[in-house]
Amino acid sequence: MNDFKIPVAVLRTAIAGLCLTACAVHAQTVKEAPLRAHLAFLADDLLEGRGTGQRGGDLAVRYLETQAAAIGLQPLTGHTYRQSVVLTGVQTLPASSLRFDVGESGGTRINTEFGTQAVYGTGGNQAEVSVNAPVMFVGYGIRADDERWNDYKNADVKGKLLIMMVNDPQPTLAEPERFGGKALTYYGRWTYKYEQALREGAAGVLLIHTNASASYGWSVPVNSFSHERFHLDGVGNALEGWLHENTAKALFSAAGQDLDVLRAKAESRDFQPVLLNATVQAELKVAVRTVEQFNVVGIVPGTDPKLKEEAVIYSAHWDHLGKVSAAVGEKADHIWNGAIDNASGAASLMAMAQAAVAHPARRSLIFLWPCAEEQYLLGSAAYVKNPLWPLAKTSADLNLDSMNFVGKTRDIGVAGSERSSLNATAAIVAKQMGMHLAPQVPDLSGSYFRADHFNFARAGIPAFNVGSAVFSGDGHFEFEQNDAASNAIMHGFTRHYHQETDRYDPKWDLSGMVQQAQFTLNLGYAVANAPRMATWKTGDAFGKIRR
């Protein structure tokens, strides 16, 4: 055996490097007190529901950037924590109307009452919109080469109003895994339907609502279209919205068609679009404005000389549905406080940032509070379009949205992580915390496509929403105490999702929220301290995403 000596200077450098790595492996403790304080404030009536383009939203941004500065989080660019996001706001005015004229001479007229029978608006930026067009039923409205599916075949849909179903074709015995099996794919999301109708050159698009196909009640689209809606670029369908199922059935019946029969036919690849003996007459009066909103962004620089050029992003949107002033005869304004959705995530992120500032990781850690998530992820879309950190050097995005307000669990939901290397890392972190990963269940409501991480995923960055989605009602939580009763409370939140009743309750047990935040912080540290950046798995379920 040969003896040899290591130079003292080299040994000291190696020891220092090992110490630095070891010190950065574990995140600091997320504390409940600041988390609860942030949550109570962000969900208070004072912030008026943190609406996009509203005073309450401005207050939320000012609060978040002030707290970021107070805890020592550094601005990512220059001397500001703000990233400007310019949006077009549109709101359908009461003078608007939508009706169907059925028959050869339009002899049967079906008027629709906004909010009861239909909700609608424009995806553009015009103050007045007129649509007079033939009506065509296009099944699911999907064109998907990877599934050998085309609902538009042999039909000229340009200039027509397209009526289509939400969700995607259901699995069969012959094809149990088509369109993700029981899980909802992006082809089933309402956002895809609107996007595809625009690509097809349609005059407009209306979606048939059912609780089962949408995974939420009629009140959700009603609340959405009753508020001001926003777009990033003002380029969208001239007319877009939803039809109540009863209204759709009445229309199809008057046109000599059976909606249930056509929906059954639409489950087959052989389905052909059906031109109804009807036209739509829509006159929209729209309030249009341009507003500047802000993402709030801060950074904890990494400690490794090379790896600090790469980053892990933690995200949680700050906005909710805001405030609607009291109507004549009403005593109070209507405020959608959004305590769980998503003051819980925004508050948790600030408490996590406070812990991270005291204990940096090897890679840089970015804390991002996107705006306008409730307007379909517009803040995160704007960030991805104009990133403040190179996307190629962004290892992962870990998102928090609508968190556990019931109590500690033995498991943690990581749906979507199975698409990437994040799943294996999550399993290790869970074990270190005395937990295990929740069993994977079919994503029936398409939760993966409904939160800000999805924009990062579309840009090629491994990403998922940490924790089971409390707003979807999917799956079972393994609570440490009172499991059955706790699950009932958690799943009961679906009654408050996007309702005025999503309010902060000081009696909430936030131990589970703290646990979820701690797991997310620890997972980010594990990714930030790893030798290599996170990667997508080959053949992941959202096939178009690649690293």
Side-chain angles (χ1 to χ4, degrees):
M1 183 174 182
N2 296 325
D3 294 330
F4 64 96
K5 294 182 178 180
I6 301 175
V8 174
V10 174
L11 184 61
R12 285 175 176 171
T13 300
I15 292 173
L18 288 172
C19 180
L20 179 63
T21 300
C23 290
V25 167
H26 299 293
Q28 293 287 86
T29 300
V30 176
K31 297 180 180 179
E32 180 177 328
L35 192 162
R36 185 180 287 275
H38 295 314
L39 171 56
F41 182 80
L42 289 169
D44 192 85
D45 279 356
L46 177 68
L47 272 71
E48 301 175 345
R50 308 181 308 281
T52 299
Q54 296 185 5
R55 174 179 176 274
D58 295 340
L59 291 174
V61 168
R62 191 72 187 96
Y63 177 79
L64 291 171
E65 65 182 357
T66 300
Q67 292 299 314
I71 65 174
L73 199 62
Q74 296 184 25
L76 189 53
T77 57
H79 301 288
T80 180
Y81 294 95
R82 300 186 178 198
Q83 180 187 29
S84 176
V85 179
V86 178
L87 303 173
T88 299
V90 293
Q91 183 161 17
T92 305
L93 298 176
S96 302
S97 64
L98 184 148
R99 76 170 194 267
F100 297 98
D101 294 333
V102 185
E104 295 300 329
S105 57
T108 301
R109 176 168 294 182
I110 299 177
N111 294 306
T112 64
E113 181 179 290
F114 189 94
T116 303
Q117 297 171 304
V119 289
Y120 49 87
T122 182
N125 56 10
Q126 301 300 312
E128 294 187 0
V129 178
S130 295
V131 176
N132 180 347
V135 179
M136 178 175 281
F137 176 65
V138 292
Y140 284 104
I142 294 173
R143 186 188 290 272
D145 292 341
D146 53 328
E147 292 281 353
R148 297 180 292 110
W149 197 277
N150 182 8
D151 284 326
Y152 298 94
K153 55 185 171 294
N154 303 322
D156 178 11
V157 302
K158 291 184 178 180
K160 295 181 176 64
L161 173 74
L162 305 182
I163 295 181
M164 60 184 73
M165 301 151 61
V166 188
N167 218 292
D168 45 28
Q170 299 304 295
T172 65
L173 290 176
E175 294 183 285
E177 297 303 320
R178 76 174 186 179
F179 286 96
K182 293 181 179 181
L184 183 71
T185 70
Y186 187 60
Y187 294 118
R189 287 285 290 147
W190 63 266
T191 48
Y192 168 82
K193 315 290 187 179
Y194 288 177
E195 292 165 0
Q196 189 60 37
L198 185 63
R199 286 189 286 264
E200 299 287 347
V205 53
L206 294 175
L207 309 180
I208 301 171
H209 177 272
T210 69
N211 290 358
S213 63
S215 79
Y216 41 73
W218 176 244
S219 63
V220 173
V222 169
N223 280 339
S224 176
F225 279 82
S226 297
H227 289 74
E228 186 178 21
R229 299 163 61 241
F230 293 86
H231 312 285
L232 264 180
D233 48 21
V235 178
N237 296 289
L239 172 66
E240 57 189 28
W242 295 71
L243 281 178
H244 192 283
E245 184 182 25
N246 292 340
T247 306
K249 284 186 173 182
L251 168 63
F252 278 61
S253 177
Q257 299 286 346
D258 186 320
L259 178 58
D260 290 334
V261 171
L262 292 183
R263 285 192 286 202
K265 289 182 177 179
E267 296 293 338
S268 169
R269 284 190 176 85
D270 296 330
F271 170 79
Q272 299 280 345
V274 177
L275 184 64
L276 300 184
N277 188 14
T279 59
V280 65
Q281 306 289 336
E283 297 293 335
L284 273 62
K285 307 298 180 183
V286 185
V288 182
R289 65 175 177 142
T290 300
V291 297
E292 184 180 29
Q293 295 293 273
F294 298 96
N295 294 332
V296 179
V297 196
I299 187 172
V300 178
T303 57
D304 186 277
K306 292 184 178 180
L307 294 182
K308 69 179 182 181
E309 300 301 320
E310 299 171 354
V312 172
I313 295 179
Y314 299 98
S315 59
H317 74 92
W318 58 255
D319 65 301
H320 195 56
L321 301 182
K323 167 186 170 182
V324 174
S325 298
V328 176
E330 292 184 323
K331 296 181 179 180
D333 296 332
H334 297 274
I335 297 176
W336 284 259
N337 299 88
I340 297 303
D341 183 14
N342 185 39
S344 66
S348 295
L349 201 64
M350 189 63 73
M352 291 160 55
Q354 184 174 352
V357 165
H359 203 68
R362 297 177 69 194
R363 287 182 177 83
S364 296
L365 302 175
I366 294 172
F367 292 83
L368 169 65
W369 290 266
C371 65
E373 188 271 355
E374 300 293 1
Q375 305 301 324
Y376 188 58
L377 322 182
L378 296 184
S380 56
Y383 179 92
V384 168
K385 185 177 181 180
N386 299 290
L388 301 181
W389 193 273
L391 297 181
K393 293 187 176 181
T394 301
S395 183
D397 172 60
L398 305 177
N399 191 62
L400 292 172
D401 195 337
S402 301
M403 297 181 67
N404 176 1
F405 61 99
V406 178
K408 294 184 73 172
T409 61
R410 297 185 179 89
D411 60 352
I412 184 74
V414 293
S417 69
E418 72 280 357
R419 305 167 188 269
S420 70
S421 60
L422 295 176
N423 184 261
T425 308
I428 294 172
V429 172
K431 185 176 182 180
Q432 291 172 343
M433 293 181 63
M435 305 168 70
H436 60 268
L437 302 187
Q440 187 175 339
V441 297
D443 186 3
L444 302 179
S445 61
S447 298
Y448 188 76
F449 315 112
R450 296 169 61 179
D452 282 310
H453 67 273
F454 181 53
N455 279 322
F456 289 93
R458 296 182 87 172
I461 297 169
F464 72 101
N465 194 69
V466 183
S468 300
V470 301
F471 56 76
S472 69
D474 294 344
H476 177 87
F477 299 81
E478 196 174 317
F479 287 97
E480 289 187 359
Q481 297 180 356
N482 304 316
D483 185 62
S486 296
N487 265 285
I489 296 172
M490 184 73 89
H491 290 305
F493 176 72
T494 56
R495 298 191 301 272
H496 306 289
Y497 172 62
H498 281 198
Q499 305 300 314
E500 292 181 66
T501 52
D502 181 8
R503 301 188 187 98
Y504 171 68
D505 186 341
K507 297 190 295 293
W508 279 342
D509 178 356
L510 297 189
S511 61
M513 194 175 295
V514 172
Q515 179 189 47
Q516 187 176 348
Q518 188 71 63
F519 172 83
T520 307
L521 186 64
N522 292 357
L523 176 58
Y525 269 70
V527 175
N529 291 313
R532 291 174 295 277
M533 294 206 303
T535 57
W536 288 102
K537 292 181 180 178
T538 302
D540 65 87
F542 188 69
K544 299 179 180 61
I545 302 175
R546 290 292 179 268
R547 184 72 167 170

